[in-house]
Amino acid sequence: MKLLVGGAFLALSGTAQASVITDQTFDSDPVLADSRTDGAWFVDRSKPAGFSSVDFMGDKRLALTISADHTETNPFRFTQGRQFLTPGARMISIDWYLDPAFQNTTGRVGGLWGVGLGGDPSGVLSYPIIEFFEDQFHVWDSVQGDDDGSGFRPAGLPDGIAFGEFVNMEIQLDPTADLFRFFLNDTLLGTEEAGGTTEIGSVILQAVNTADGIDRTLYFDNFVARSSIPVPATGLMLLIGVAGAAALGRRARQA
């Protein structure tokens, strides 16, 4: 859609819509694959016990299930999930249920991962991640050899976030500033270096099992990946105001 303001067209939702790479509500079972496949959720590290659409809290949601019957001996494969290709993405976002059962748990629970690429599609440069564990959210700095070293950074539990509700996790890539920005319900959790990343080439939804095995379900909904970062509503109103003022200025000069 374009809005006419003082003779100037402003591209609004049409531009935002054009930037959508994928928009998934999980109203039906997602397409699955065992290996890398366009348009399908394929296994990453190791296969979770379940990855399907279920009825939860009055709507269809994605249930990522891990099980004590589906554990691994290799710690690298304790991380169980599926990956979806999002070529060209600069923003990824998903809703996640902050289960009261995750309070006072030990060890990582799981969350939203990005796979950062730049130039050579086969060369992974970064892993922007938001995960929950130890009663708070963490972001992952995956750039080796930067000033503060790679690793998880505790980001806390922002005001207004409550257990028993869905929260929105969002990761934005700003290649000009070479930064990832991590958000929870539009609250900035933190920023980390992007290490030359130019796109978030895929997204991984993960849960973390153990050698002894855990029976646990993570619920997700409303997964979106975009090739550009949408302008917030307040930004649109400011843009409209600026365009309107410019149009009035032109009319005054012509009078």
Side-chain angles (χ1 to χ4, degrees), residues 17-18 24 49 68 120 141 144 152 159 165 172 175 197 202 204 213 243:
Q17 192 64 30
Q24 302 179 33
D120 181 0
D141 177 9
Q144 301 288 334
F152 276 111
D159 292 341
E165 298 179 353
Q172 297 180 0
T197 300
S202 59
I204 310 169

Side-chain angles (χ1 to χ4, degrees), residues 41-243:
W41 289 90
F42 54 92
V43 176
D44 182 81
R45 295 199 181 184
S46 64
K47 183 185 297 185
F51 199 89
S52 63
S53 175
V54 300
D55 291 309
F56 181 72
M57 291 186 68
D59 201 357
K60 291 287 189 180
R61 320 283 189 174
L62 175 68
L64 192 171
T65 304
I66 57 175
S67 168
D69 297 329
H70 291 79
T71 190
E72 300 279 349
T73 57
N74 183 345
F76 180 80
R77 295 172 64 83
F78 289 168
T79 305
Q80 301 177 340
R82 288 183 177 271
Q83 184 172 171
F84 192 91
L85 298 177
T86 56
R90 297 281 176 85
M91 184 277 276
I92 57 176
S93 169
I94 200 162
D95 296 336
W96 181 68
Y97 180 63
L98 185 55
D99 198 320
F102 300 159
Q103 295 184 76
N104 303 315
T105 55
T106 57
R108 292 163 51 202
V109 173
L112 173 67
W113 291 34
V115 179
L117 307 177
D120 181 0
S122 64
V124 176
L125 296 180
S126 58
Y127 287 98
I129 297 171
I130 302 176
E131 270 200 14
F132 184 85
F133 57 95
E134 298 174 356
D135 284 339
Q136 63 179 314
F137 288 89
H138 291 70
V139 300
W140 173 257
D141 177 9
S142 60
V143 178
Q144 301 288 334
D146 61 9
D147 294 340
D148 50 6
S150 60
F152 276 111
R153 317 283 190 218
L157 199 66
D159 292 341
I161 302 298
F163 286 90
E165 298 179 353
F166 275 87
V167 297
N168 178 259
M169 298 187 291
E170 181 173 314
I171 301 172
Q172 297 180 0
L173 167 64
D174 182 346
T176 302
D178 196 33
L179 284 177
F180 288 113
R181 297 186 177 93
F182 302 87
F183 295 88
L184 193 71
N185 285 2
D186 296 324
T187 297
L188 182 66
L189 291 177
T191 62
E192 295 293 346
E193 295 179 51
T197 300
T198 58
E199 64 173 305
I200 303 174
S202 59
V203 168
I204 310 169
L205 301 182
Q206 298 280 24
V208 182
N209 214 326
T210 66
D212 296 329
I214 297 173
D215 293 318
R216 177 180 286 163
T217 300
L218 277 62
Y219 295 98
F220 296 90
D221 206 354
N222 303 317
F223 166 52
V224 179
R226 295 179 182 272
S227 60
S228 62
I229 301 171
V231 179
T234 52
L236 287 175
M237 294 308 297
L238 178 61
L239 187 61
I240 292 170
V242 170

